[in-house]
Amino acid sequence: MRRASALLAILLLGACTARSAGLPTLDVGGATAIDRMFQAAVDKGEIPGVVAAVTNKDRILYLKAFGKQDVARSIPMSTDTLFRIASMTKPVTSVGIMMLYEEGKLRLDDPAGDYLPAYRGRDVIATFNERDATYTTRPATGEITLRHLLTHTSGLSYPFASHTVLAIQTKTGKDPRELPLLFDPGTKWNYSPATGVLGDIVAKLSGQSLEEWDQARIFRPLGMVDTTYTPAPEKAARLATIHQREETGLVENPNPPQYTPDVRGDGGLVSTASDYVAFVQMFLNEGSWHGRQLLKPDTVRLMTSNQIGSVVVDTMPAALPRRSAPFPFGAGEDKFGLGFQITVTDGTRIHERGAGSYTWAGINNTHFWVDPKNGIGVVILTQVLPFYNATSMDVIKRFERLIYENLR
């Protein structure tokens, strides 16, 4: 068995060690209840397969796989299955930016245009005609800064998260990052390709590709041996297929004969649950992992605290319903840090994550959160579209409640 299987072998030892050290654990009955829930979800056709993990800062408490990695070929899901984690790439890129920040190579309130001139002096959409996607613009009240890019308050947007951007892109064929801004930078929150801009800045300042930078500075130090933009053919063979949820049920899209890399700061990585757990553990340990210091504790606290002031995370519309339902949970209340949505409402009474938890997700319904109040991190990986569809999110919420009901 590969690396993740070795991790499974130490679960019981890890639980005992954690208990003696006063760290949170998941009781045996809770793990069994989670097993039953996931197996039932697969059996009922709610999800084709899943790999899920729960960890404290030192040990994995739960790591299991259910269902199929490839239904048509009857390949079972494994804890070593690779997933397209899409926008779970964004926190990785944000860490890269914060490493450059610690080295004094950039400041958070620097204009993005100082590094990439194409983002200097961007206009804002002043009027928009829904009938023909014509629009007028005006000068923005200020420049897009790196902080705006990290917090999704730049005014950029994805087409699937904005009817306006979708209409203009459909008409013009332009990249969303080339379009005028939806609002003045810093005044609203809107999910966007901003982290892709940050990835370009990492590459420019480091003189390396994102793959080279991430491998040298993040993945190898964390032992993330399977996380990459460019999986070798033998690893790509472990890639889960993506399913589309239709009215008639789940429809599988076979993997292509050859995997085509997509290297961007805002998406494109493939990873495993156990690899991403290491990334989560680094945050639970305030920037360190098994003696390796990747970020300073003060930097982690900066990244995971409110950086948008009185602005709140807004509900993103389903501009492309086959791609995404409205999202995210916590909209209207939650805040955003430097790369993470921050939970405002404490979930203790309903067996959910604590206030101050921070999270993000990938469009194929890969999700993670870090809960410093309760001392745990959670990773749940599926490959089902649309993002935030009700069935997938119900499974994730059931998982969340079973974790907190059985956390000791």
Side-chain angles (χ1 to χ4, degrees):
M1 298 293 286
R2 293 178 287 263
R3 174 176 173 268
S5 299
L7 286 169
L8 278 171
I10 65 171
L11 288 179
L12 291 177
L13 175 61
C16 293
T17 303
R19 187 176 292 108
S20 62
L23 297 177
T25 63
L26 189 67
D27 69 34
V28 174
T32 300
I34 292 170
D35 289 351
R36 290 171 178 163
M37 184 277 292
F38 278 134
Q39 189 58 57
V42 170
D43 292 344
K44 290 188 289 185
E46 293 179 314
I47 51 175
V50 61
V51 180
V54 183
T55 187
N56 63 31
K57 68 178 185 177
D58 289 346
R59 294 284 188 268
I60 294 176
L61 307 176
Y62 182 93
L63 177 60
K64 294 283 186 69
F66 301 87
K68 300 291 186 182
Q69 170 183 303
D70 186 314
V71 174
R73 298 168 64 197
S74 196
I75 300 174
M77 192 70 81
S78 163
T79 53
D80 287 323
T81 294
L82 280 173
F83 292 81
R84 299 167 179 87
I85 62 170
S87 288
M88 278 171 56
T89 302
K90 288 181 170 70
V92 174
T93 303
S94 299
V95 165
I97 284 287
M98 298 310 291
M99 287 174 164
L100 293 170
Y101 162 80
E102 288 188 349
E103 294 169 3
K105 294 181 178 178
L106 55 80
R107 295 171 298 182
L108 298 180
D109 294 312
D110 286 344
D114 287 359
Y115 304 95
L116 301 173
Y119 295 93
R120 184 178 294 128
R122 283 296 183 91
D123 286 342
V124 176
I125 295 172
T127 62
F128 175 70
N129 188 326
E130 294 181 0
R131 290 174 297 178
D132 59 7
T134 57
Y135 59 90
T136 63
T137 63
R138 60 169 176 79
T141 58
E143 293 288 336
I144 300 171
T145 68
L146 303 189
R147 191 186 303 272
H148 295 146
L149 294 171
L150 283 159
T151 57
H152 294 284
T153 58
S154 66
L156 296 170
S157 180
Y158 284 116
F160 76 87
S162 166
H163 292 286
T164 299
V165 172
L166 175 62
I168 296 173
Q169 187 198 36
T170 300
K171 181 175 181 176
T172 66
K174 290 185 176 181
D175 186 300
R177 296 193 297 178
E178 299 174 353
L179 300 180
L181 307 179
L182 289 177
F183 48 80
D184 290 305
T187 60
K188 294 181 181 179
W189 186 92
N190 198 98
Y191 187 48
S192 74
T195 320
V197 181
L198 294 172
D200 293 345
I201 293 172
V202 169
K204 183 172 183 178
L205 293 183
S206 69
Q208 296 177 293
S209 69
L210 280 178
E211 177 77 18
E212 291 169 334
W213 170 271
D214 287 346
Q215 292 293 345
R217 299 295 300 273
I218 301 172
F219 302 152
R220 284 198 289 271
L222 290 175
M224 296 172 68
V225 298
D226 284 326
T227 305
T228 179
Y229 287 103
T230 56
E234 64 272 17
K235 289 193 176 184
R238 290 193 266 136
L239 195 65
T241 57
I242 297 175
H243 286 69
Q244 181 76 42
R245 191 175 302 284
E246 306 283 6
E247 290 184 6
T248 55
L250 294 168
V251 177
E252 185 172 32
N253 297 303
N255 287 331
Q258 184 173 347
Y259 182 78
T260 303
D262 185 15
V263 184
R264 312 187 324 272
D266 58 335
L269 284 174
V270 299
S271 188
T272 63
S274 54
D275 265 18
Y276 214 85
V277 160
F279 185 73
V280 165
Q281 286 178 336
M282 182 268 289
F283 275 92
L284 283 169
N285 283 282
E286 297 189 298
S288 69
W289 191 80
H290 293 278
R292 300 177 182 91
Q293 193 78 38
L294 279 76
L295 292 171
K296 296 175 183 178
D298 284 349
T299 302
V300 172
R301 286 190 282 272
L302 187 66
M303 294 182 75
T304 59
S305 61
N306 176 24
Q307 297 294 321
I308 60 175
S310 61
V311 173
V312 295
V313 170
D314 285 327
T315 298
M316 296 293 96
L320 287 170
R322 287 180 58 80
R323 189 84 171 141
S324 177
F327 70 95
F329 292 146
E333 296 181 315
D334 283 359
K335 299 295 183 177
F336 216 85
L338 303 177
F340 304 95
Q341 180 182 347
I342 301 169
T343 302
V344 170
T345 303
D346 191 87
T348 301
R349 293 183 179 180
I350 53 174
H351 302 293
E352 292 187 356
R353 69 196 74 176
S357 297
Y358 44 97
T359 183
W360 204 238
I363 199 160
N364 300 311
N365 281 300
T366 59
H367 298 259
F368 80 97
W369 71 88
V370 182
D371 183 344
K373 176 184 175 183
N374 291 291
I376 64 167
V378 178
V379 177
I380 177 169
L381 305 179
T382 64
Q383 299 281 263
V384 179
L385 289 169
F387 183 51
Y388 254 73
N389 72 82
T391 304
S392 292
M393 297 313 295
D394 186 59
V395 172
I396 290 168
K397 277 300 179 183
R398 296 201 305 262
F399 178 41
E400 180 174 2
R401 288 164 189 150
L402 284 170
I403 293 168
Y404 287 97
E405 284 174 4
N406 295 282
L407 201 61
R408 303 293 180 256

